[in-house]
Amino acid sequence: CASALAEEELPESLDIRVLVWKYDDTYGSTVRAAMEKWAAYYSEEMGIDIQLTMYDAADDIGKQIEQATMICSQGCDFVIINLAEVSNGAALTTMFQEAGIPFLFYNKEPSEETVQSVIVDSGSIFIGTTPREAGDMQGEILADMWAEDTSIDRNGDGMLQFVEFMGEPNNPEAIARTQYSEETAIALGVPLDPVLDDPIVANWDSTQANDRMTATWAANNDIEVVFCNNDDMAIGVIAALNTFGYNTGNEGDPSIVVIGVDATDAAFEAIRTGRMTATVKQDGDAMGYANVRIAINYLQTGSWLDGLDYTLAADGYSVRIPYAKITAEEAA
């Protein structure tokens, strides 16, 4: 790819800015590291100076709008956007369009009611995952476990009592992971019994998950399965369970099923040590690569994907990075 681009007329430098929803998101950190790695790689391979400047919104859309305002006043070649609030993408796209700065979105897809105006009408693109795929895989993992060993039904009532930890109420990824982890497991024959009427919203955060699992377990200690929309929340859930003597990884101590998403380093370690059951890998390096590679391609060719080994999804506006199941066997 670098050789092909080298045949085009190249500028001496590219100024690419990255708006990040929050730096302390574990999965997001892997994407940021990948973007830095691949920007450095293409700087050397293409013989140009690719400057990648990142901004932490600290999960505050107001702060992200201030950062976008500053970027517009300074000017740059391109902006890569990780939305702090998925329902407010238009606040950013309006500014960048008026400033004549091209942009793409990644990881956190604009909400369903805004995706047409924010991505499609603006001529942008989204780099992410297929929202239901992670939920499907979580359900499949549980179904495989149930088919192999029904002893995960600790109280022996023939049902698996479960709770779901949800990232954000209006986030497409969170909605789909929540819905399909349950629906897929049931479709595959798992007798699920919800302990609560609604998912527990913990905003992708381990501390919030810890606090809410502690309170939930104190009132409902018959829980047998916990689905988590991401690994940070799963780690928080496990920390809460540890205080009750569960999921310690110590031989003889009781445990319940905890399944996350992301395949972070902390999750891998928790799976290896028997504290966590499984996760679904969201490939941060692949997403970071796609962000940088597609941005460069647009700046060089005026096209998002021409000449690249990516296929536009059926929705017509996105590139989807595949997931993969990570159980104890894969983690080992």
Side-chain angles (χ1 to χ4, degrees), residues 34-49:
M35 285 191 283
E36 291 172 343
K37 178 182 77 173
W38 290 111
Y41 171 83
Y42 278 109
S43 288
E44 181 175 349
E45 288 296 309
M46 296 165 61
I48 62 176
D49 180 21

Side-chain angles (χ1 to χ4, degrees), residues 26-39:
T26 305
Y27 171 73
S29 297
T30 67
V31 180
R32 288 192 291 112
M35 285 191 283
E36 291 172 343
K37 178 182 77 173
W38 290 111

